[in-house]
């Protein structure tokens, strides 16, 4: 068994194929350029969070130092290093959102769910996270759930959004 085959075994064949497909857009000597997407695929594949094995697997697969992959995974709030709920609510608490009421939004969410930041509701539905600026300052205060941004939040609007999700299967 070659060294590369051994490295690949840390990741599933399906995951390796997805990363390889994505990386076709980069020159072979620039494999590391695909690290963000590779981590995204790995996280998606693993029910929403990254394990040490996955981080090492991505690093080996992309022939990067493992520490570099850890740096990426810990820098971006969209990567989770422990199990999360079905939906992750990332509330921006950076300056624009802070000035326009993010604190009230966080307090409302904590009260509604009975959890603190970085915790998951007992039914496994929601994880509450704090995020740095998500680039939607014009709609502050805002949060992100999955791929969607929700802006100009008020406690009432938050309830409407979450009540709508409860009754949907999306
Ligand atoms: S400060 Fe919240 S989106 Fe920029």
């Amino acid at each position: 068994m070659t060294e590369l085959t051994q490295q690949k075994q840390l990741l599933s064949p399906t995951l390796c194929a997805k990363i390889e497909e994505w990386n076709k857009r980069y020159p072979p000597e620039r494999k590391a350029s695909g690290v963000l997407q590779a981590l995204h695929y790995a996280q998606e594949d693993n029910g929403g969070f990254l394990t040490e094995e996955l981080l090492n697997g991505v690093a080996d697969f992309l022939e990067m130092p493992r520490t570099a992959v850890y740096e990426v995974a810990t820098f971006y709030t969209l990567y989770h290093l422990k199990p999360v709920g079905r939906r992750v609510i990332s509330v921006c608490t950076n300056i624009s959102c802070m000035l326009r009421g993010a604190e009230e939004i966080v307090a409302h969410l904590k009260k509604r769910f009975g959890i603190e930041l970085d915790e998951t509701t007992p039914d496994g539905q929601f994880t509450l996270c704090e995020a740095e600026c998500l680039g939607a300052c014009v709609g502050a205060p805002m949060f992100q759930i999955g791929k969607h941004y929700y802006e100009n939040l008020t406690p009432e609007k938050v309830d409407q959004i979450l009540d709508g999700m409860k009754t949907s299967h999306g």
Side-chain angles (χ1 to χ4, degrees):
M1 186 184 292
T2 67
E3 195 187 337
L4 189 60
T5 310
Q6 281 173 341
Q7 288 166 352
K8 281 185 180 182
Q9 284 190 337
L10 283 173
L11 306 178
S12 72
T14 321
L15 186 51
C16 291
K18 274 159 111 176
I19 297 172
E20 264 174 357
E21 183 60 33
W22 176 267
N23 263 20
K24 279 182 184 167
R25 65 197 68 208
Y26 308 118
E29 70 278 13
R30 299 265 181 215
K31 278 183 176 186
S33 303
V35 66
L36 293 178
Q37 188 62 34
L39 289 173
H40 175 71
Y41 284 147
Q43 177 165 280
E44 200 175 54
D45 231 45
N46 191 48
F49 73 105
L50 292 162
T51 60
E52 196 177 325
E53 185 178 83
L54 285 170
L55 292 172
N56 291 341
V58 167
D60 295 352
F61 192 67
L62 296 179
E63 296 170 24
M64 294 174 67
R66 288 182 172 183
T67 47
V69 173
Y70 279 66
E71 280 168 9
V72 171
T74 52
F75 179 78
Y76 292 102
T77 52
L78 286 175
Y79 299 120
H80 306 291
L81 303 179
K82 60 180 188 183
V84 290
R86 187 168 157 240
R87 293 188 174 100
V88 176
I89 306 179
S90 300
V91 191
C92 173
T93 55
N94 217 298
I95 189 72
S96 302
C97 289
M98 185 189 79
L99 292 172
R100 291 187 39 90
E103 209 171 298
E104 189 188 9
I105 299 302
V106 171
H108 183 71
L109 287 163
K110 283 182 180 177
K111 190 170 166 209
R112 177 181 170 118
F113 292 132
I115 58 172
E116 293 299 314
L117 288 169
D118 293 323
E119 289 184 356
T120 299
T121 52
D123 62 2
Q125 287 296 306
F126 293 98
T127 297
L128 190 54
C129 294
E130 193 172 20
E132 293 298 329
C133 179
L134 290 165
C137 313
V138 71
M142 59 79 68
F143 61 43
Q144 180 178 12
I145 303 179
K147 292 178 180 164
H148 301 281
Y149 277 17
Y150 300 88
E151 302 177 359
N152 300 303
L153 297 174
T154 61
E156 296 72 31
K157 193 167 170 185
V158 167
D159 284 339
Q160 278 171 15
I161 293 164
L162 297 176
D163 289 345
M165 285 182 175
K166 261 185 159 176
T167 52
S168 78
H169 299 285

